[in-house]
Amino acid sequence: NFIRMFFSEISQNAFSVISRLSGAEYVLEGDPEAVLLARLIASGLVALAFVIQTEGLALDHAAAAVASNYLVTLMSLAIKLIAAAGVKESEAFQILRPLVNGTLTNIETAGIPEALTGPIARGDCKTVADHMTGIQKLGTDVLLLYKTLGRATVQIARDKGTLSADAAREILHLLG
């Protein structure tokens, strides 16, 4: 009985682990034989596998950190801003969630430049200035993050083709 229970527990745990691994995406790196074996395992898990060079590991990990960890940071910033506007912090995520989900859908279907909306994409300098006036009250670290993200957004808006060179210069001047 003990042996039957032991193997039953192992198989349940293995099934749980395999179900979490199934459908995931894996980055593979290493010697060709190991990569081939890993591709076969990923295929058996109905998972996607991507091969990168060893020297790309740090950038791959940085990409994952930006996409996951920094999204948490961005949501923290957005919740802080909407809470400062008077929304209960406990309700902030539910209010912002449809916007975030829509943006992710737009990125998936239309691509990065086309998914960009908002004042920078429109060249709306007054709204950007108004944002900064309001954010200034929350502290320099919040304003610095807004400005840094805004400067990066200017190039995306230029790539989209909705931001003129003159408006881009004016917004970059505003953002410091």
Side-chain angles (χ1 to χ4, degrees), residues 67-113:
S68 179
N69 307 148
Y70 292 0
L71 177 57
V72 173
T73 303
L74 287 172
M75 289 306 299
S76 175
L77 173 63
I79 289 169
K80 183 182 292 187
L81 292 172
I82 200 168
V87 171
K88 290 181 185 173
E89 202 166 307
S90 61
E91 297 172 353
F93 180 74
Q94 293 306 318
I95 292 168
L96 295 168
R97 176 190 257 172
L99 180 63
V100 173
N101 287 341
T103 301
L104 291 173
T105 298
N106 291 343
I107 290 170
E108 182 178 30
T109 58
I112 293 289

Short mmCIF file of all heavy atoms in Angstrom, two decimals, residues 67-113:
data_model
loop_
_atom_site.label_atom_id
_atom_site.label_comp_id
_atom_site.label_asym_id
_atom_site.label_seq_id
_atom_site.Cartn_x
_atom_site.Cartn_y
_atom_site.Cartn_z
N ALA A 67 9.03 42.92 -19.61
CA ALA A 67 7.64 42.58 -19.96
C ALA A 67 6.82 42.19 -18.74
O ALA A 67 5.63 42.50 -18.69
CB ALA A 67 7.62 41.44 -20.99
N SER A 68 7.42 41.57 -17.77
CA SER A 68 6.68 41.11 -16.61
C SER A 68 6.85 42.05 -15.42
O SER A 68 5.89 42.66 -14.96
CB SER A 68 7.13 39.70 -16.23
OG SER A 68 6.44 39.25 -15.10
N ASN A 69 8.06 42.18 -14.94
CA ASN A 69 8.30 42.98 -13.74
C ASN A 69 7.98 44.45 -13.94
O ASN A 69 7.37 45.08 -13.07
CB ASN A 69 9.76 42.84 -13.29
CG ASN A 69 10.20 41.39 -13.13
OD1 ASN A 69 11.34 41.07 -13.36
ND2 ASN A 69 9.29 40.51 -12.76
N TYR A 70 8.41 44.99 -15.07
CA TYR A 70 8.18 46.42 -15.28
C TYR A 70 6.72 46.73 -15.60
O TYR A 70 6.27 47.84 -15.38
CB TYR A 70 9.11 46.97 -16.35
CG TYR A 70 10.58 46.98 -15.94
CD1 TYR A 70 10.99 46.53 -14.69
CD2 TYR A 70 11.54 47.44 -16.80
CE1 TYR A 70 12.32 46.54 -14.33
CE2 TYR A 70 12.88 47.46 -16.44
CZ TYR A 70 13.27 47.00 -15.20
OH TYR A 70 14.59 47.02 -14.85
N LEU A 71 5.99 45.74 -16.10
CA LEU A 71 4.55 45.93 -16.25
C LEU A 71 3.92 46.13 -14.87
O LEU A 71 3.03 46.97 -14.70
CB LEU A 71 3.90 44.75 -16.97
CG LEU A 71 2.38 44.81 -17.13
CD1 LEU A 71 1.95 46.08 -17.86
CD2 LEU A 71 1.87 43.57 -17.84
N VAL A 72 4.41 45.38 -13.88
CA VAL A 72 3.94 45.57 -12.51
C VAL A 72 4.27 46.99 -12.04
O VAL A 72 3.43 47.67 -11.43
CB VAL A 72 4.55 44.51 -11.57
CG1 VAL A 72 4.21 44.80 -10.11
CG2 VAL A 72 4.09 43.11 -11.96
N THR A 73 5.47 47.45 -12.36
CA THR A 73 5.88 48.81 -11.98
C THR A 73 4.99 49.85 -12.67
O THR A 73 4.56 50.82 -12.04
CB THR A 73 7.35 49.04 -12.34
OG1 THR A 73 8.14 48.04 -11.69
CG2 THR A 73 7.82 50.42 -11.94
N LEU A 74 4.71 49.64 -13.96
CA LEU A 74 3.83 50.57 -14.69
C LEU A 74 2.43 50.59 -14.10
O LEU A 74 1.82 51.66 -13.95
CB LEU A 74 3.77 50.21 -16.17
CG LEU A 74 5.01 50.52 -16.98
CD1 LEU A 74 4.88 49.94 -18.38
CD2 LEU A 74 5.24 52.01 -17.03
N MET A 75 1.92 49.42 -13.75
CA MET A 75 0.59 49.37 -13.15
C MET A 75 0.60 50.03 -11.77
O MET A 75 -0.37 50.70 -11.39
CB MET A 75 0.08 47.92 -13.06
CG MET A 75 -0.26 47.33 -14.41
SD MET A 75 -1.43 48.34 -15.38
CE MET A 75 -2.85 48.36 -14.30
N SER A 76 1.67 49.87 -11.03
CA SER A 76 1.79 50.56 -9.74
C SER A 76 1.74 52.07 -9.94
O SER A 76 1.05 52.78 -9.21
CB SER A 76 3.10 50.15 -9.07
OG SER A 76 3.30 50.89 -7.88
N LEU A 77 2.45 52.56 -10.95
CA LEU A 77 2.43 53.98 -11.27
C LEU A 77 1.03 54.44 -11.67
O LEU A 77 0.52 55.45 -11.17
CB LEU A 77 3.42 54.29 -12.39
CG LEU A 77 3.41 55.72 -12.95
CD1 LEU A 77 3.79 56.74 -11.88
CD2 LEU A 77 4.33 55.82 -14.16
N ALA A 78 0.38 53.69 -12.55
CA ALA A 78 -0.96 54.05 -13.00
C ALA A 78 -1.95 54.06 -11.84
O ALA A 78 -2.79 54.97 -11.72
CB ALA A 78 -1.43 53.08 -14.09
N ILE A 79 -1.85 53.07 -10.95
CA ILE A 79 -2.74 53.02 -9.79
C ILE A 79 -2.46 54.18 -8.86
O ILE A 79 -3.39 54.80 -8.32
CB ILE A 79 -2.62 51.64 -9.09
CG1 ILE A 79 -3.27 50.57 -9.98
CG2 ILE A 79 -3.23 51.66 -7.70
CD1 ILE A 79 -3.00 49.14 -9.56
N LYS A 80 -1.19 54.52 -8.67
CA LYS A 80 -0.84 55.66 -7.83
C LYS A 80 -1.43 56.95 -8.41
O LYS A 80 -1.98 57.79 -7.69
CB LYS A 80 0.69 55.79 -7.74
CG LYS A 80 1.18 56.91 -6.83
CD LYS A 80 2.69 57.01 -6.83
CE LYS A 80 3.30 55.80 -6.16
NZ LYS A 80 4.75 55.91 -5.98
N LEU A 81 -1.35 57.12 -9.73
CA LEU A 81 -1.87 58.33 -10.37
C LEU A 81 -3.40 58.41 -10.27
O LEU A 81 -3.95 59.46 -9.93
CB LEU A 81 -1.45 58.38 -11.84
CG LEU A 81 0.05 58.58 -12.09
CD1 LEU A 81 0.37 58.42 -13.57
CD2 LEU A 81 0.52 59.91 -11.55
N ILE A 82 -4.08 57.30 -10.55
CA ILE A 82 -5.54 57.34 -10.52
C ILE A 82 -6.05 57.48 -9.08
O ILE A 82 -7.07 58.12 -8.83
CB ILE A 82 -6.16 56.13 -11.26
CG1 ILE A 82 -7.62 56.44 -11.63
CG2 ILE A 82 -6.04 54.86 -10.48
CD1 ILE A 82 -8.22 55.44 -12.61
N ALA A 83 -5.32 56.91 -8.13
CA ALA A 83 -5.68 57.07 -6.72
C ALA A 83 -5.51 58.53 -6.30
O ALA A 83 -6.35 59.07 -5.57
CB ALA A 83 -4.84 56.15 -5.84
N ALA A 84 -4.45 59.18 -6.78
CA ALA A 84 -4.25 60.60 -6.48
C ALA A 84 -5.34 61.47 -7.09
O ALA A 84 -5.62 62.57 -6.61
CB ALA A 84 -2.87 61.05 -6.97
N ALA A 85 -6.00 60.95 -8.13
CA ALA A 85 -7.11 61.68 -8.75
C ALA A 85 -8.40 61.50 -7.98
O ALA A 85 -9.41 62.13 -8.30
CB ALA A 85 -7.29 61.21 -10.20
N GLY A 86 -8.39 60.59 -6.98
CA GLY A 86 -9.56 60.42 -6.14
C GLY A 86 -10.24 59.07 -6.24
O GLY A 86 -11.23 58.83 -5.55
N VAL A 87 -9.73 58.17 -7.07
CA VAL A 87 -10.30 56.83 -7.18
C VAL A 87 -9.76 55.99 -6.03
O VAL A 87 -8.58 56.08 -5.69
CB VAL A 87 -9.93 56.20 -8.55
CG1 VAL A 87 -10.31 54.73 -8.61
CG2 VAL A 87 -10.57 56.98 -9.68
N LYS A 88 -10.63 55.16 -5.45
CA LYS A 88 -10.17 54.26 -4.40
C LYS A 88 -9.12 53.32 -4.98
O LYS A 88 -9.34 52.73 -6.04
CB LYS A 88 -11.34 53.44 -3.85
CG LYS A 88 -12.33 54.24 -3.05
CD LYS A 88 -13.41 53.32 -2.54
CE LYS A 88 -14.49 54.12 -1.85
NZ LYS A 88 -15.64 53.27 -1.49
N GLU A 89 -8.03 53.17 -4.27
CA GLU A 89 -6.96 52.30 -4.76
C GLU A 89 -7.46 50.87 -4.96
O GLU A 89 -7.03 50.18 -5.88
CB GLU A 89 -5.78 52.32 -3.78
CG GLU A 89 -4.49 51.89 -4.42
CD GLU A 89 -3.27 52.22 -3.58
OE1 GLU A 89 -3.12 53.38 -3.18
OE2 GLU A 89 -2.49 51.29 -3.34
N SER A 90 -8.40 50.44 -4.15
CA SER A 90 -8.95 49.08 -4.27
C SER A 90 -9.76 48.90 -5.55
O SER A 90 -9.97 47.78 -6.00
CB SER A 90 -9.82 48.76 -3.06
OG SER A 90 -10.92 49.66 -2.98
N GLU A 91 -10.20 49.99 -6.17
CA GLU A 91 -10.98 49.92 -7.40
C GLU A 91 -10.15 50.26 -8.64
O GLU A 91 -10.61 50.06 -9.77
CB GLU A 91 -12.17 50.89 -7.33
CG GLU A 91 -13.15 50.56 -6.22
CD GLU A 91 -14.22 51.62 -6.04
OE1 GLU A 91 -14.13 52.70 -6.67
OE2 GLU A 91 -15.14 51.37 -5.25
N ALA A 92 -8.96 50.75 -8.44
CA ALA A 92 -8.14 51.27 -9.54
C ALA A 92 -7.83 50.21 -10.59
O ALA A 92 -7.95 50.47 -11.79
CB ALA A 92 -6.85 51.87 -8.99
N PHE A 93 -7.43 49.03 -10.16
CA PHE A 93 -7.06 48.01 -11.14
C PHE A 93 -8.25 47.63 -12.01
O PHE A 93 -8.10 47.48 -13.22
CB PHE A 93 -6.48 46.76 -10.45
CG PHE A 93 -6.09 45.70 -11.44
CD1 PHE A 93 -4.95 45.84 -12.21
CD2 PHE A 93 -6.88 44.58 -11.62
CE1 PHE A 93 -4.59 44.88 -13.15
CE2 PHE A 93 -6.53 43.61 -12.54
CZ PHE A 93 -5.38 43.76 -13.31
N GLN A 94 -9.41 47.48 -11.40
CA GLN A 94 -10.59 47.11 -12.18
C GLN A 94 -10.93 48.18 -13.21
O GLN A 94 -11.42 47.87 -14.30
CB GLN A 94 -11.79 46.85 -11.25
CG GLN A 94 -11.63 45.64 -10.37
CD GLN A 94 -11.30 44.37 -11.16
OE1 GLN A 94 -11.86 44.11 -12.21
NE2 GLN A 94 -10.38 43.58 -10.64
N ILE A 95 -10.66 49.42 -12.88
CA ILE A 95 -10.91 50.52 -13.82
C ILE A 95 -9.89 50.50 -14.96
O ILE A 95 -10.24 50.72 -16.12
CB ILE A 95 -10.88 51.87 -13.07
CG1 ILE A 95 -12.08 51.96 -12.13
CG2 ILE A 95 -10.83 53.05 -14.04
CD1 ILE A 95 -12.01 53.10 -11.14
N LEU A 96 -8.64 50.22 -14.64
CA LEU A 96 -7.56 50.25 -15.63
C LEU A 96 -7.46 48.96 -16.46
O LEU A 96 -6.94 48.98 -17.57
CB LEU A 96 -6.22 50.52 -14.95
CG LEU A 96 -6.09 51.89 -14.28
CD1 LEU A 96 -4.86 51.94 -13.40
CD2 LEU A 96 -6.09 52.99 -15.32
N ARG A 97 -7.94 47.86 -15.93
CA ARG A 97 -7.80 46.56 -16.59
C ARG A 97 -8.31 46.54 -18.03
O ARG A 97 -7.59 46.05 -18.92
CB ARG A 97 -8.48 45.47 -15.79
CG ARG A 97 -8.44 44.13 -16.51
CD ARG A 97 -9.32 43.13 -15.85
NE ARG A 97 -8.46 42.24 -15.09
CZ ARG A 97 -8.92 41.34 -14.26
NH1 ARG A 97 -10.20 41.23 -14.03
NH2 ARG A 97 -8.09 40.55 -13.64
N PRO A 98 -9.51 47.05 -18.34
CA PRO A 98 -9.96 47.01 -19.74
C PRO A 98 -9.03 47.77 -20.69
O PRO A 98 -8.81 47.34 -21.82
CB PRO A 98 -11.35 47.64 -19.71
CG PRO A 98 -11.80 47.50 -18.29
CD PRO A 98 -10.56 47.57 -17.45
N LEU A 99 -8.48 48.87 -20.21
CA LEU A 99 -7.54 49.65 -21.02
C LEU A 99 -6.28 48.83 -21.29
O LEU A 99 -5.80 48.77 -22.43
CB LEU A 99 -7.20 50.96 -20.30
CG LEU A 99 -6.23 51.89 -21.00
CD1 LEU A 99 -6.82 52.38 -22.32
CD2 LEU A 99 -5.90 53.06 -20.10
N VAL A 100 -5.75 48.19 -20.26
CA VAL A 100 -4.54 47.38 -20.41
C VAL A 100 -4.81 46.19 -21.33
O VAL A 100 -4.02 45.92 -22.24
CB VAL A 100 -4.02 46.91 -19.03
CG1 VAL A 100 -2.88 45.92 -19.19
CG2 VAL A 100 -3.59 48.10 -18.20
N ASN A 101 -5.93 45.50 -21.12
CA ASN A 101 -6.26 44.36 -21.98
C ASN A 101 -6.44 44.80 -23.43
O ASN A 101 -5.99 44.11 -24.35
CB ASN A 101 -7.52 43.65 -21.48
CG ASN A 101 -7.27 42.87 -20.20
OD1 ASN A 101 -6.14 42.55 -19.86
ND2 ASN A 101 -8.33 42.56 -19.49
N GLY A 102 -7.10 45.94 -23.65
CA GLY A 102 -7.27 46.45 -25.00
C GLY A 102 -5.94 46.79 -25.65
O GLY A 102 -5.73 46.51 -26.83
N THR A 103 -5.05 47.37 -24.88
CA THR A 103 -3.72 47.71 -25.40
C THR A 103 -2.95 46.46 -25.78
O THR A 103 -2.33 46.40 -26.85
CB THR A 103 -2.94 48.55 -24.36
OG1 THR A 103 -3.68 49.74 -24.07
CG2 THR A 103 -1.56 48.92 -24.89
N LEU A 104 -2.99 45.44 -24.93
CA LEU A 104 -2.30 44.19 -25.26
C LEU A 104 -2.89 43.56 -26.52
O LEU A 104 -2.15 43.06 -27.37
CB LEU A 104 -2.38 43.22 -24.08
CG LEU A 104 -1.55 43.60 -22.85
CD1 LEU A 104 -1.86 42.65 -21.70
CD2 LEU A 104 -0.07 43.63 -23.16
N THR A 105 -4.20 43.61 -26.66
CA THR A 105 -4.84 43.08 -27.87
C THR A 105 -4.40 43.87 -29.09
O THR A 105 -4.10 43.30 -30.14
CB THR A 105 -6.38 43.12 -27.73
OG1 THR A 105 -6.75 42.27 -26.64
CG2 THR A 105 -7.07 42.66 -29.00
N ASN A 106 -4.35 45.20 -28.96
CA ASN A 106 -3.92 46.04 -30.08
C ASN A 106 -2.47 45.77 -30.46
O ASN A 106 -2.13 45.75 -31.64
CB ASN A 106 -4.12 47.52 -29.75
CG ASN A 106 -5.58 47.90 -29.68
OD1 ASN A 106 -6.44 47.18 -30.18
ND2 ASN A 106 -5.86 49.02 -29.05
N ILE A 107 -1.61 45.57 -29.48
CA ILE A 107 -0.21 45.25 -29.77
C ILE A 107 -0.14 43.93 -30.52
O ILE A 107 0.58 43.79 -31.51
CB ILE A 107 0.63 45.18 -28.48
CG1 ILE A 107 0.80 46.58 -27.89
CG2 ILE A 107 2.00 44.55 -28.74
CD1 ILE A 107 1.40 46.59 -26.49
N GLU A 108 -0.91 42.95 -30.08
CA GLU A 108 -0.90 41.63 -30.71
C GLU A 108 -1.43 41.68 -32.14
O GLU A 108 -0.88 41.06 -33.03
CB GLU A 108 -1.74 40.65 -29.89
CG GLU A 108 -1.76 39.25 -30.44
CD GLU A 108 -2.55 38.29 -29.57
OE1 GLU A 108 -3.51 38.72 -28.91
OE2 GLU A 108 -2.21 37.10 -29.57
N THR A 109 -2.48 42.46 -32.38
CA THR A 109 -3.11 42.46 -33.69
C THR A 109 -2.53 43.49 -34.65
O THR A 109 -2.47 43.24 -35.85
CB THR A 109 -4.63 42.68 -33.58
OG1 THR A 109 -4.88 43.92 -32.92
CG2 THR A 109 -5.29 41.55 -32.81
N ALA A 110 -2.11 44.64 -34.14
CA ALA A 110 -1.67 45.71 -35.02
C ALA A 110 -0.17 46.00 -34.94
O ALA A 110 0.38 46.63 -35.82
CB ALA A 110 -2.45 47.00 -34.72
N GLY A 111 0.48 45.58 -33.86
CA GLY A 111 1.90 45.86 -33.69
C GLY A 111 2.13 47.07 -32.81
O GLY A 111 1.21 47.83 -32.52
N ILE A 112 3.36 47.24 -32.42
CA ILE A 112 3.72 48.29 -31.46
C ILE A 112 3.37 49.70 -31.94
O ILE A 112 2.60 50.38 -31.28
CB ILE A 112 5.21 48.21 -31.07
CG1 ILE A 112 5.49 46.94 -30.28
CG2 ILE A 112 5.66 49.45 -30.28
CD1 ILE A 112 4.95 46.88 -28.87
N PRO A 113 3.88 50.16 -33.05
CA PRO A 113 3.57 51.57 -33.36
C PRO A 113 2.08 51.82 -33.51
O PRO A 113 1.56 52.81 -32.99
CB PRO A 113 4.30 51.84 -34.67
CG PRO A 113 5.33 50.79 -34.79
CD PRO A 113 4.78 49.60 -34.07
#
